[in-house]
Amino acid sequence: MRDASSPPTKVLMVEDNPGDARLVQLLLAEVGGFEITWKQDLREAAEWLREHVPDAVLLDLSLPDSHGVATIDAMRRVAPDLPVIVFTGLNDEAVGVAAVKRGCQDYLVKGQGDGQLIARTITYAVERKAIERERQQAAERMKRVLLQTVKAVSLTLEMRDPYTAGHQRRVAQLAQAIGERMGLDADRLEGLHTGALIHDLGKINVPSDFLSRPGKLSDAAFGVIKSHPNVGAEIVDGVDFPWPIARMIREHHERLDGSGYPAGLRGEEIILEARILAVADVVEAISSHRPYRPSLGLDAALKEIQDRAGTAYDPAVVDACLAVIRDNGNAVFRDDYDLPPVM
Ligand SMILES: [Fe+2]
């Protein structure tokens, strides 16, 4: 299980009964490889944990200053990342099972088993917790890589097309701020932010001079531009995103009254994320400089969404957007805008 050269496993034992504490110390000393710190109540243990990081905690649930499952919750608040093994009396094995359900790694019944069993229980708990941590780190790394990849794709599009330089990033920031204001949960906000970063992906299929040409476009040219929501959605259709990214892209030019494209969807037929994107997109587009015209200003952008709230745009989204702009102004578009942490 362990070789002699490895450092001892550091265990914090929280136990008010000196007899029980001594017995465990003795049994583990016989097995070897453990360094035990003994504290008699929760307050003392919490104080010690401020300065020290053990490998595991052995926790008696009946302490002078805490009792039952409340002891587990208190310990997990103090040391959320440590494996906790609960000590239970002979008659409360059910409490041990409940403890595991509450996130403890394992439980030991007092008076049952020898030093080997206690040692094994601690060692396995430490190993399991380490595996859990590695899994979590791997999942977080995958999420980071996904976001970086989406950002790279977003930048690729913007590099060939001055029209969209920075547009998707700014729309993503505003859309996320609107979504947050509307009370979307963290996972949905993350999806919204991700979808917004590539909402114009389909413009890769549109000749760049169509996008930056001043004045009125021919019907044919406008037809090509109008294909971009479908083209973008088709590109990401094969990507197994954990959010409805393809729908966000496909529906971001749909309008509440059915006047949008490509499908002329109405009202709640349009996914909420796309209704948010529609507002963020138009506010950003009107208030930014374009190669063929100067910025029309934020006021013009807000007037557009207010005038068409309920016809083109979802009024709840418009209200949230107005609140965001009222509180942040242009800062919401800046590079250093402080996005709520979604990753
Ligand atoms: Fe678009």
Side-chain angles (χ1 to χ4, degrees):
M1 204 155 59
R2 69 181 290 276
D3 65 78
S5 63
S6 54
T9 303
K10 292 184 196 135
V11 179
L12 168 65
M13 176 168 53
V14 193
E15 167 64 72
D16 62 328
N17 182 323
D20 288 344
R22 256 180 237 123
L23 182 62
V24 171
Q25 279 175 317
L26 224 66
L27 290 171
L28 285 179
E30 260 169 39
V31 179
F34 293 90
E35 185 185 305
I36 307 207
T37 302
W38 173 33
K39 297 293 168 194
Q40 302 209 31
D41 61 34
L42 203 59
R43 193 191 51 78
E44 255 184 53
E47 207 156 280
W48 184 84
L49 279 168
R50 251 181 256 143
E51 308 273 318
H52 305 83
V53 184
D55 297 305
V57 179
L58 268 181
L59 183 66
D60 179 19
L61 293 187
S62 304
L63 297 169
D65 56 352
S66 181
H67 205 83
V69 286
T71 312
I72 300 169
D73 295 341
M75 178 51 72
R76 288 183 59 79
R77 271 197 301 279
V78 182
D81 296 326
L82 292 180
V84 175
I85 300 135
V86 155
F87 257 148
T88 65
L90 264 178
N91 304 322
D92 324 320
E93 205 166 334
V95 175
V97 176
V100 172
K101 283 194 181 139
R102 287 179 99 84
C104 290
Q105 290 292 319
D106 212 338
Y107 67 93
L108 286 164
V109 179
K110 283 182 188 176
Q112 271 183 7
D114 54 7
Q116 289 292 348
L117 176 76
I118 301 172
R120 227 173 24 240
T121 303
I122 296 171
T123 305
Y124 287 164
V126 172
E127 283 172 2
R128 264 200 311 276
K129 192 73 186 181
I131 291 168
E132 214 175 83
R133 252 183 240 132
E134 271 168 29
R135 256 199 219 138
Q136 207 181 339
Q137 283 164 358
E140 279 162 13
R141 195 164 51 243
M142 282 306 295
K143 266 186 157 185
R144 264 200 314 278
V145 169
L146 173 65
L147 181 66
Q148 287 160 351
T149 308
V150 166
K151 281 185 172 166
V153 170
S154 182
L155 279 177
T156 307
L157 175 68
E158 297 189 357
M159 269 175 187
R160 73 178 271 283
D161 171 17
Y163 177 87
T164 53
H167 168 69
Q168 297 180 107
R169 179 188 56 75
R170 290 191 296 269
V171 170
Q173 289 180 191
L174 178 56
Q176 191 176 333
I178 295 171
E180 204 200 8
R181 185 69 67 144
M182 295 180 77
L184 267 57
D185 66 35
D187 178 63
R188 220 166 158 194
L189 285 175
E190 194 179 336
L192 174 61
H193 181 248
T194 305
L197 279 174
I198 48 172
H199 73 273
D200 274 338
L201 180 58
K203 285 187 177 166
I204 199 85
N205 201 38
V206 178
S208 51
D209 71 307
F210 285 17
L211 301 170
S212 53
R213 193 182 292 169
K216 207 167 163 22
L217 289 166
S218 69
D219 285 352
F222 197 50
V224 175
I225 290 180
K226 276 176 141 181
S227 71
H228 82 271
N230 271 335
V231 171
E234 275 165 30
I235 293 172
V236 302
D237 248 347
V239 182
D240 195 12
F241 282 110
W243 312 286
I245 302 289
R247 279 195 68 186
M248 292 183 216
I249 295 175
R250 185 172 273 122
E251 297 171 19
H252 79 275
H253 282 286
E254 298 289 357
R255 296 295 179 253
L256 224 56
D257 56 5
S259 64
Y261 62 88
L265 300 179
R266 289 170 177 274
E268 296 199 348
E269 288 173 345
I270 310 162
I271 195 174
L272 174 63
E273 284 86 340
R275 282 180 267 143
I276 294 174
L277 276 181
V279 169
D281 191 14
V282 77
V283 168
E284 199 287 324
I286 293 177
S287 63
S288 305
H289 291 281
R290 286 288 173 261
Y292 51 88
R293 61 147 174 82
S295 161
L296 302 174
L298 204 46
D299 289 342
L302 298 185
K303 185 171 182 323
E304 155 72 12
I305 56 169
Q306 274 173 307
D307 286 352
R308 300 180 67 204
T311 50
Y313 308 114
D314 182 332
V317 176
V318 170
D319 283 348
C321 181
L322 293 173
V324 166
I325 300 289
R326 189 187 58 224
D327 292 353
N328 299 275
N330 266 318
V332 72
F333 295 128
R334 279 209 315 256
D335 257 338
D336 57 354
Y337 178 67
D338 201 9
L339 279 176
V342 291
M343 295 302 284

